[in-house]
Amino acid sequence: MKLRRLLVVSTLPMLVSVAAPIVAHAQTTEPTVKTGSTGTAVTTLQKDLNSLGYSVGSVDGDFGPKTLTAVEKFQRAHGLTVDGIVGPATWAAILKSLNGTTTTKSTSTTKPASTTSGAPTTQTAEPTVKSGSTGTAVKTLQKDLNSLGDSVGAVDGDFGPATESAVKKFQTAHGLTADGIVGPETWSAIQKALASGTATKPASTTKPASTTKPASTTKPAPTTSGSPTTPTTEPTVKSGSTGAAVTTLQKDLNSLGYSVGTVDGDFGPATESAVKRFQTAHGLTADGIVGSATWSAIQKALNSGSFTKVDLRYSAPSSINANSINTFLSKNGSPMTGLGQSFISAQNTYGVDANYLVSHAILESAWGTSQIALAKNNLFGYGAYDANPGDDAGMFPSDAYAIEFQAWEVRNNYLNPGGSEYVSPTLTGMNVNYATDPNWASSIATLMNELASSSGSSVSDYTQYPSSTSVPQPNSNVEPVYDLNGATGTTQANAYYGGVPYYPSTSAGISDMFIATLQNGSSGEDVTKVQTYLNAQIGAKLTVDGQYGPATAAAVKQFEAKHGLKQDGIWSYSMWTTYITGSAPTIPAGQSVQVDEIEQGMAGPYVVPWYHITNRGWVDSQYVKFTNVYRVAVRNQTSTSTSIPVYSSSDETQQIATLHNGDFVVAKSASATNGFYEIQVSTQAYDSSGGGTPLTGYVSSQVASLTAQQ
């Protein structure tokens, strides 16, 4: 799901979601499988769905109810026909997702150039092809040139005169040697053009040249007086059609929230499904054929607005409320049911469209059923490295806190002009720095469209960007905290500090705490700090990119020689505290402490909570073991019954609070007395430094159980 940048504002380091390719299991040649199927293809399917966050449970090669549910959720999220049957279109979508899955991790401030504009179809590793070449690389070339407007005619994998002519036109238009040979330089230019959506000639001979109006994915929000992307003079297209008109159709449907997946100019099953959904929603005959009536309806819809262009700083319309959100989630079998008010509260606090927050959580957590969502309250994929997503993903103290954190993060870094990742306050704008997947914005737009439709509204009820009205300001820009009531823990030993270092703020701790020895191959904020220091102290002239390579190692050796140190090119703990941060105060290992707040942060490359130790400061949670904190869990965590009532300690019939599956609570033990657990919780103020109100109450053991949180 992309290079998604999740940056903690102010002095906090970056949290970056990177779509690092993983080994793909699924092949588009896999046989069609469905309920009742068994065998290796089902095993492959189950492994792939699990790795993508659509949990099927155990991988047993048996296509049962859990696998069916996971398939349907995957199909819905990717704009496919939701029939639970895994045929060529679904296999292809799985393969594509595996090669572009988004996970969250910390990285340096630099990134590959291609990640700023999405993952293109072509890769620079494609072989050189020329006149007379045949095969899949030629087919890829032909599809890409067609989608860019340099028509080769039929996509047949045969590099003939038409393909050679199209290549030369492309090369001329992009300042390359027009020799008709497609080597690394031409592949790279095609990759760049696809990522930017730039065609080298008019997309269709029946409409104005592209220079007279912007492409659908980059045009300003449609107005009643502006030109739409799709003129009604477009030719009729249907299943099997290819070319510029199909490319235009795909871009427009994606923009409107009817995801077709990859914009490749090929009218396949995903495009047909999107067309039929659009036709149904607009009262047309759902035949999948795009003629004048459908083109006209698309034009009208574009003039009404696009979910990819909604200004996310405005609140969703009143039809999007706690009740309508919960109803939508419940109808789709999501364990996030019950969190409707949490999405609305995050919208009201940080000024981020609640529909977007819901839709993004659905996309990242597979409707709340992914393992990291269930095990770690991690609804947005923070810290889930591809190599080990289950262990590396960050833990959040509650789903509600994860929602608040996401709203704070996105508003400050992506939606506010001047923010570290700001392009525009829209899904399209966010897609530039948040996602390498070019379909990320349209995937969320599709879900936003579904939620809006289920609530009786449409995109016309949302504020498009740019707007003539004054942008509402958020009620807070302070990072949310999770309040605890009576939590205790024991400090653990630290290899470098002995005890646990504590800091006046989470940001100070993230910046100053020494996590590991820095050497050739290291990366991240600590390396950035060392590089900056070396440039200032010895004029090293290093590129401050957070990458510890040979140049940085050589500069470290030069610094070591100057200070009479062993010249090994390694930045050690003693060098860190002597020259950069100074020594931090510590709490000895084995000491009992009280924890009153939790805040999300980083420790080196990992996303981890930070705990506030009463009368001391903020510490990395990895060095404190809770002694009385538990996660409260319902019996069936993948059901829609995931809300947990809390009853008064003085009147067991009076409900005083409602928890959600996975919330952190304080308790004397995990044993129930007379069918109830006595717990301590706190009302959550999130943005208030004064904290919430401490409460003591009871939870029925018939509804939930307690699991120790370490």
Side-chain angles (χ1 to χ4, degrees):
M1 292 173 201
K2 46 218 172 30
L3 184 71
R4 181 177 66 194
R5 287 187 179 271
L6 299 179
L7 304 189
V8 180
V9 297
S10 186
T11 57
L12 298 188
M14 294 189 301
L15 302 179
V16 181
S17 176
V18 180
I22 60 178
V23 177
H25 299 96
Q27 303 296 323
T28 54
T29 56
E30 293 283 1
T32 296
V33 292
K34 57 184 177 179
T35 299
S37 298
T38 58
T40 56
V42 178
T43 300
T44 295
L45 171 68
Q46 292 172 325
K47 288 181 179 179
D48 293 337
L49 288 172
N50 275 345
S51 71
L52 291 170
Y54 297 87
S55 175
V56 302
S58 60
V59 177
D60 56 8
D62 188 353
F63 198 126
K66 288 186 178 180
T67 302
L68 175 63
T69 298
V71 167
E72 290 176 340
K73 288 180 178 178
F74 176 87
Q75 289 173 326
R76 184 180 295 109
H78 290 77
L80 302 168
T81 300
V82 184
D83 56 9
I85 300 172
V86 184
T90 301
W91 279 122
I94 290 172
L95 176 61
K96 180 186 172 190
S97 296
L98 286 167
N99 284 320
T101 299
T102 304
T103 54
T104 309
K105 68 179 183 179
S106 170
T107 189
S108 68
T109 55
T110 59
K111 60 180 179 179
S114 64
T115 62
T116 62
S117 54
T121 304
T122 59
Q123 303 297 323
T124 54
E126 292 283 3
T128 296
V129 291
K130 58 184 178 179
S131 181
S133 298
T134 59
T136 56
V138 177
K139 282 187 177 182
T140 296
L141 170 68
Q142 291 171 324
K143 285 185 178 181
D144 292 339
L145 290 172
N146 277 346
S147 71
L148 291 169
D150 294 284
S151 177
V152 302
V155 177
D156 56 8
D158 187 355
F159 200 126
T163 301
E164 184 175 21
S165 175
V167 168
K168 289 180 178 179
K169 288 179 182 178
F170 177 87
Q171 291 171 325
T172 299
H174 290 78
L176 304 171
T177 301
D179 56 8
I181 300 172
V182 185
E185 190 175 17
T186 301
W187 279 123
S188 180
I190 291 173
Q191 180 181 23
K192 183 177 179 182
L194 286 167
S196 63
T198 303
T200 58
K201 68 175 186 176
S204 170
T205 57
T206 60
K207 66 178 182 178
S210 60
T211 54
T212 64
K213 62 179 180 65
S216 63
T217 56
T218 57
K219 64 176 187 286
T223 63
T224 56
S225 59
S227 298
T229 303
T230 53
T232 55
T233 54
E234 288 285 3
T236 296
V237 291
K238 58 183 179 179
S239 180
S241 298
T242 58
V246 178
T247 299
T248 296
L249 171 68
Q250 292 173 324
K251 287 182 178 180
D252 291 339
L253 288 172
N254 275 348
S255 176
L256 291 169
Y258 298 88
S259 177
V260 303
T262 303
V263 177
D264 57 6
D266 188 352
F267 199 125
T271 300
E272 184 175 20
S273 174
V275 167
K276 288 180 177 179
R277 285 185 281 116
F278 175 87
Q279 290 171 325
T280 299
H282 290 79
L284 302 170
T285 301
D287 57 8
I289 300 172
V290 185
S292 58
T294 302
W295 279 122
S296 179
I298 290 173
Q299 178 182 20
K300 182 177 179 181
L302 287 167
N303 280 334
S304 298
S306 160
F307 275 108
T308 60
K309 299 294 185 179
V310 165
D311 191 327
L312 300 177
R313 297 171 297 179
Y314 290 80
S315 294
S318 59
S319 60
I320 304 296
N321 51 52
N323 182 61
S324 64
I325 292 171
N326 286 331
T327 298
F328 178 69
L329 293 171
S330 179
K331 285 183 177 179
N332 285 280
S334 173
M336 291 193 292
T337 301
L339 291 171
Q341 187 55 52
S342 297
F343 287 107
I344 296 298
S345 295
Q347 170 184 266
N348 295 342
T349 301
Y350 295 109
V352 179
D353 186 313
N355 189 339
Y356 149 72
L357 290 171
V358 175
S359 299
H360 194 171
I362 290 171
L363 184 70
E364 297 290 352
S365 70
W367 293 85
T369 65
S370 71
Q371 287 304 303
I372 64 170
L374 295 173
K376 296 191 173 184
N377 301 323
N378 190 333
L379 297 179
F380 296 92
Y382 284 93
Y385 289 92
D386 284 330
N388 197 9
D391 289 340
D392 293 344
M395 168 68 81
F396 287 76
S398 73
D399 285 339
Y401 177 83
I403 294 165
E404 293 278 347
F405 182 85
Q406 176 72 5
W408 169 78
E409 159 73 26
V410 166
R411 179 61 193 249
N412 282 283
N413 289 309
Y414 290 88
L415 305 184
N416 283 344
S420 58
E421 301 302 310
Y422 177 81
V423 176
S424 72
T426 65
L427 290 175
T428 299
M430 285 183 66
N431 205 156
V432 174
N433 290 326
Y434 199 104
T436 53
D437 179 4
N439 300 312
W440 177 85
S442 61
S443 295
I444 295 180
T446 297
L447 292 163
M448 290 182 69
N449 187 34
E450 288 185 21
L451 175 52
S453 298
S454 74
S455 304
S457 62
S458 68
V459 71
S460 62
D461 298 316
Y462 290 73
T463 302
Q464 296 283 305
Y465 178 78
S467 171
S468 59
T469 62
S470 178
V471 176
Q473 295 303 303
N475 291 321
S476 174
N477 60 7
V478 177
E479 180 178 357
V481 297
Y482 187 86
D483 293 302
L484 292 169
N485 175 17
T488 58
T490 303
T491 54
Q492 307 296 297
N494 181 297
Y496 296 106
Y497 293 86
V500 183
Y502 60 90
Y503 302 90
S505 66
T506 298
S507 59
I510 293 171
S511 176
D512 293 350
M513 186 174 178
F514 189 76
I515 301 299
T517 299
L518 303 177
Q519 55 192 320
N520 197 12
S522 299
S523 63
E525 292 297 310
D526 290 354
V527 176
T528 298
K529 214 161 193 178
V530 169
Q531 290 171 329
T532 301
Y533 178 78
L534 292 172
N535 284 345
Q537 294 298 314
I538 63 172
K541 297 182 180 180
L542 295 170
T543 300
V544 181
D545 58 5
Q547 303 296 321
Y548 202 121
T552 300
V556 170
K557 288 182 179 180
Q558 181 182 346
F559 179 86
E560 290 170 328
K562 179 179 179 180
H563 291 271
L565 304 172
K566 178 183 178 182
Q567 297 175 46
D568 56 9
I570 297 173
W571 198 270
S572 66
Y573 166 70
S574 61
M575 293 168 68
W576 179 262
T577 55
T578 300
Y579 301 109
I580 294 184
T581 64
S583 298
T586 60
I587 305 171
Q591 185 168 319
S592 178
V593 293
Q594 292 185 338
V595 180
D596 57 7
E597 290 179 328
I598 298 176
E599 207 170 69
Q600 203 65 26
M602 301 286 295
Y606 298 103
V607 177
V608 300
W610 281 64
Y611 298 158
H612 185 261
I613 306 297
T614 305
N615 299 322
R616 295 293 185 94
W618 291 92
V619 303
D620 180 345
S621 63
Q622 297 174 97
Y623 302 107
V624 174
K625 182 178 181 180
F626 275 133
T627 53
N628 65 348
V629 176
Y630 298 84
R631 293 186 77 218
V632 58
V634 298
R635 301 302 180 186
N636 183 357
Q637 296 185 48
T638 59
S639 72
T640 58
S641 299
T642 46
S643 294
I644 304 165
V646 181
Y647 297 100
S648 169
S649 58
S650 58
D651 181 357
E652 294 181 3
T653 65
Q654 179 187 0
Q655 185 173 338
I656 59 173
T658 301
L659 300 176
H660 192 261
N661 178 62
D663 286 2
F664 282 21
V665 300
V666 172
K668 294 179 180 178
S669 76
S671 299
T673 302
N674 298 323
F676 285 90
Y677 300 103
E678 181 179 336
I679 64 169
Q680 294 171 241
V681 294
S682 179
T683 60
Q684 297 301 319
Y686 293 120
D687 66 320
S688 171
S689 59
T693 302
L695 299 172
T696 299
Y698 292 90
V699 168
S700 170
S701 60
Q702 294 183 353
V703 175
S705 60
L706 300 184
T707 303
Q709 172 55 37
Q710 301 299 328

